[in-house]
Amino acid sequence: MAAVNASAVATAISAVASSAPCAQRRASRAAVSGSALFNPLRVAAARPAVRVSRSGPAVVRAATEETAGTIQGFIDDVKAKWDGVEDKGTLALYAGGSVTAVWLSATVVNAVNSIPVVPNVLELVGTVYTGWFVYRYLLFKSSRRELAELIEDIKARITGST
């Protein structure tokens, strides 16, 4: 993995920072993040790290062979799992139903949220319930053990093991 071209980064930072009201703060952040320890961007040596144009913002490229290999591995895994599915129609139906359910629930939440008093009442109910739950199950050691046993019992019933 090659290091980021320091002069190109400095040029891009100065071009961006000069137009910002807090140029000193951005420059100091860039100096810290430019070090090898804090830099999450690993740029291939064949490509320039930063391209500065007069008409647009700075463009930072962070494409590496590792990223390409990871993406290709992910795509291969998805293809293998898709090929392993026997009933693709049912899976597509479930996926469509899931998307529809999320969309419908978002619509209902937005409709309820537009009623003037209801969001505040629901927030109060949630706060009171959270307080009760903390008092009932999390505050004391014996009640935490009781909660852990309850969770284990539910897990056993779901998985079918005893």
Side-chain angles (χ1 to χ4, degrees):
M1 290 182 266
V4 175
N5 186 346
S7 63
V9 171
T11 306
I13 290 171
S14 64
V16 172
S18 65
S19 64
C22 53
Q24 291 177 344
R25 193 171 346 136
R26 285 190 180 185
S28 66
R29 270 194 233 141
V32 170
S33 67
S35 70
L37 180 63
F38 294 103
N39 191 358
L41 302 176
R42 307 261 192 252
V43 181
R47 293 183 153 187
V50 178
R51 179 178 50 102
V52 178
S53 72
R54 301 275 181 214
S55 62
V59 177
V60 178
R61 294 185 182 152
T64 64
E65 294 80 22
E66 286 181 16
T67 305
T70 305
I71 292 172
Q72 187 60 39
F74 174 75
I75 291 172
D76 292 341
D77 288 344
V78 169
K79 283 181 182 178
K81 289 185 182 188
W82 179 252
D83 291 338
V85 173
E86 292 178 13
D87 195 3
K88 291 180 173 72
T90 303
L91 181 65
L93 187 65
Y94 281 144
S98 302
V99 169
T100 303
V102 167
W103 171 77
L104 185 62
S105 63
T107 303
V108 169
V109 167
N110 285 334
V112 168
N113 201 23
S114 66
I115 301 171
V117 179
V118 173
N120 295 333
V121 171
L122 291 177
E123 184 177 349
L124 178 65
V125 168
T127 304
V128 169
Y129 183 77
T130 301
W132 172 84
F133 184 85
V134 167
Y135 175 76
R136 172 69 177 89
Y137 289 112
L138 302 177
L139 199 57
F140 304 107
K141 188 174 185 177
S142 61
S143 61
R144 286 193 298 267
R145 265 191 242 117
E146 180 185 346
L147 178 63
E149 290 170 2
L150 181 65
I151 290 172
E152 290 300 322
D153 181 49
I154 291 171
K155 283 178 12 183
R157 283 192 284 166
I158 289 173
T159 59
S161 61
T162 52

